[in-house]
Amino acid sequence: MNNYLSQVNAGSFYLIVALVLAFITVMCFVFLIKCYRAGIKIGMDPAVLKKTITSSATFTLLPSISILLGVIALSGTLGVPLSWLRLSVIGSLQYELNVAEIAAQSVGLTGLRLAELNIESFVTIALVMTVGILGGLFYTLFFLKVYLKKIRQNPKKEKSGKPGFGAHATTAMFVGLCGAYIGSYIGKAVPRADSDIMPLIVAIVAAIAMAGFEFLIQKKGKVSLENFSLAASMLIAMAAAVGFGMIL
């Protein structure tokens, strides 16, 4: 186990990830400078541009807390470098955790269990996570212009305020995912020799916390809570896992 952790947290791996993220950071600053100069060129107020940059940078801080939590959650089994890379570019917490778990089970493991992982399974998991996320990237490269063209050709649908097929499809997908995972948690909680009720408890606590935030945002107008509702719900669920773990 210790050998596995030393391999996935090797200094060379840190260096590779740092170089990749450094390149992306430089690219972001290049685009920032180009956009600022383009705004000046078309006559935009420099004060407005600077205010927009400052507010955008501030706005990204709170949502990034959930990303940091995701890095912490994944680093215990997949190491810091891979978790850092996956959640710093085009990955997302929900995707990474789900796909890593599925990939682990596909190679014969019971899940992301540190005691079962080895460098061979790590390579497979990392490959599946990376290849899987490329679908959105390729779709954007080859089909985004066509999609935007269709949207512009149907302005009435946008003005009507009614959700289109995409909104319903996304909702159905998330309902299906939630149903699958909640079902698995219920299955694990069924009394038997290897039953585990903790995942179900944590899921319920997280759902209640998020429902509370949604109530405050939607009904009480606390829109500012939207920036960190996910991170706060995760922290509450983690605290509940620690608390119930001590009791159970």
Side-chain angles (χ1 to χ4, degrees):
M1 184 188 303
N2 291 332
N3 184 47
Y4 165 77
L5 288 177
S6 64
Q7 287 177 311
V8 298
N9 289 294
S12 56
F13 203 0
Y14 271 100
L15 179 60
I16 294 172
V17 172
L19 290 174
V20 172
L21 296 181
F23 172 78
I24 294 173
T25 303
V26 171
M27 185 174 63
C28 291
F29 277 105
V30 169
F31 277 104
L32 174 63
I33 294 171
K34 286 182 175 292
C35 291
Y36 182 84
R37 290 175 177 174
I40 296 295
K41 188 175 181 179
I42 63 176
M44 296 183 68
D45 187 355
V48 174
L49 290 172
K50 292 178 181 178
K51 184 178 180 181
T52 302
I53 293 171
T54 303
S55 61
S56 299
T58 304
F59 178 77
T60 60
L61 292 177
L62 288 175
S64 65
I65 296 175
S66 60
I67 297 175
L68 176 60
L69 292 174
V71 173
I72 295 172
L74 281 175
S75 61
T77 51
L78 298 180
V80 175
L82 179 64
S83 305
W84 180 25
L85 177 64
R86 294 301 311 126
L87 291 169
S88 298
V89 189
I90 57 175
S92 66
L93 177 59
Q94 296 88 344
Y95 166 82
E96 306 299 342
L97 289 172
N98 292 339
V99 174
E101 187 81 17
I102 293 171
Q105 293 175 353
S106 69
V107 296
L109 308 182
T110 58
L112 285 178
R113 304 287 188 271
L114 184 58
E116 301 178 16
L117 287 167
N118 53 50
I119 196 62
E120 288 79 13
S121 59
F122 169 81
V123 171
T124 302
I125 293 170
L127 180 63
V128 172
M129 292 167 67
T130 303
V131 172
I133 201 68
L134 293 179
L137 180 62
F138 285 119
Y139 179 87
T140 301
L141 285 174
F142 298 111
F143 302 109
L144 183 59
K145 286 187 177 180
V146 177
Y147 176 71
L148 292 176
K149 184 178 180 180
K150 288 184 177 181
I151 291 179
R152 295 190 184 101
Q153 289 176 349
N154 296 280
K156 293 182 179 180
K157 291 184 178 180
E158 293 184 1
K159 293 180 180 179
S160 65
K162 296 181 179 180
F165 172 78
H168 291 303
T170 303
T171 302
M173 178 187 68
F174 277 105
V175 169
L177 282 173
C178 290
Y181 280 98
I182 294 299
S184 68
Y185 298 156
I186 295 175
K188 292 178 181 178
V190 174
R192 59 177 185 272
D194 60 342
S195 63
D196 185 6
I197 196 173
M198 186 62 71
L200 182 60
I201 293 176
V202 173
I204 292 173
V205 171
I208 293 174
M210 181 59 78
F213 282 112
E214 285 297 315
F215 173 79
L216 294 174
I217 294 168
Q218 301 293 336
K219 302 298 183 180
K220 299 298 181 179
K222 306 293 183 180
V223 182
S224 59
L225 294 176
E226 189 172 1
N227 294 330
F228 59 92
S229 59
L230 176 60
S233 298
M234 290 176 62
L235 287 172
I236 293 171
M238 289 178 180
V242 174
F244 281 106
M246 295 174 64
I247 297 172
L248 299 176

